Amino acid sequence: MNKKSVFNPEQQQNDLSSKIITGLERISQAFKALLWEKAKELGLSPIQIQILIFIAYHKSEFNNVSFLALEFNVTKPTISDAIRVLDKKGYIIKDYSSSDNRSYSILLSGAGKGIVEKTEHFASPLENQMDAIGTEEKENLFKTLSKLIYQLNRTGVLTVQRTCFACKYYQKTTANHYCHLLEKQLKHSDIRLDCVEFEEKS
């Protein structure tokens, strides 16, 4: 077996990148565990909960099967199956008001909004731990994470990202960052990972 692997504890001892990747994996496991716990409590799947929360906070043009498949890096049939269950449970409404009768936007029903209220804080244990970390440490961590997310998007690992770095309004300045939509300088802590005004660079 090839010993050169980020999952090899011996390599981790001498390679900081391997340690960081392993750490990110552990955090991912914690996120999944918290989501699964809430999903089992309500008789839903993790992706169904993620879809409901996403719909609650994003504009209607994003709330369709095709975009959700890209957003969550899964297939359209996977999203369609999740939507079918959510529709059957009465948590969503299919809006066919667009010009294309074959497609629809997904809206939350009253019951769906209730589910969002019960689930949207599932990551609070992670948030609580972050709140205990100093501001400077968090700013440095965010700077690294935001760059990593952008690079993963550029290489095709992450298919959809609404981060400033990929937006047509963004400009890197000598000292900092600038948003032409807001017409203001941005500190790195102002960089958004999920911007509602995002428009992809051409």
Side-chain angles (χ1 to χ4, degrees):
M1 185 176 294
N2 186 2
K3 291 187 177 182
K4 187 172 176 56
S5 167
V6 296
F7 301 108
N8 184 345
E10 292 182 4
Q11 176 171 319
Q12 293 170 17
Q13 292 176 17
N14 302 305
D15 184 69
L16 185 56
S17 293
S18 296
K19 290 180 181 179
I20 292 171
I21 292 170
T22 301
L24 291 172
E25 183 199 19
R26 297 286 175 83
I27 294 172
S28 174
Q29 289 172 354
F31 186 92
K32 290 177 182 177
L34 292 168
L35 183 55
W36 261 112
E37 183 179 344
K38 187 60 67 174
K40 288 186 291 185
E41 180 184 316
L42 296 171
L44 295 170
S45 70
I47 189 64
Q48 289 163 5
I49 289 177
Q50 288 177 295
I51 288 171
L52 291 174
I53 294 174
F54 183 88
I55 292 171
Y57 290 105
H58 292 83
K59 49 191 176 183
S60 60
E61 64 190 75
F62 293 162
N63 299 336
N64 57 68
V65 171
S66 296
F67 191 91
L68 290 170
L70 290 173
E71 176 71 25
F72 294 108
N73 277 343
V74 297
T75 64
K76 288 183 182 180
T78 297
I79 294 295
S80 294
D81 286 345
I83 294 300
R84 177 179 52 78
V85 173
L86 293 173
D87 187 30
K88 186 176 181 180
K89 289 178 177 287
Y91 295 150
I92 62 161
I93 299 168
K94 294 180 179 179
D95 179 11
Y96 289 92
S97 61
S98 68
S99 57
D100 185 355
N101 293 328
R102 296 169 300 176
S103 64
Y104 56 86
S105 295
I106 304 161
L107 310 175
L108 291 179
S109 66
K113 292 176 182 177
I115 292 295
V116 170
E117 290 178 0
K118 293 178 181 178
T119 59
E120 62 183 338
H121 301 296
F122 76 87
S124 290
L126 293 175
E127 184 179 10
N128 293 339
Q129 294 303 316
M130 289 302 302
D131 288 343
I133 297 175
T135 300
E136 185 176 352
E137 285 184 84
K138 281 193 287 192
E139 288 179 350
N140 289 333
L141 176 59
F142 178 71
K143 186 174 183 178
T144 301
L145 284 176
S146 58
K147 287 182 178 179
L148 178 59
I149 289 169
Y150 176 61
Q151 291 302 327
L152 289 173
N153 175 236
R154 290 286 300 273
T155 56
V157 177
L158 294 175
T159 52
V160 176
Q161 289 303 319
R162 291 173 294 279
T163 178
C164 293
F165 297 139
C167 181
K168 74 175 188 179
Y169 297 117
Y170 170 81
Q171 180 183 347
K172 180 73 174 76
T173 63
T174 303
N176 238 315
H177 314 274
Y178 188 82
C179 176
H180 288 278
L181 179 64
L182 301 178
E183 297 183 342
K184 61 179 288 188
Q185 293 283 341
L186 304 175
K187 296 180 295 184
H188 201 96
S189 57
D190 294 324
I191 293 295
R192 300 176 183 180
L193 297 184
D194 189 3
C195 180
V196 294
E197 287 95 8
F198 173 84
E199 290 193 31
E200 190 172 1
K201 291 179 181 177
S202 57

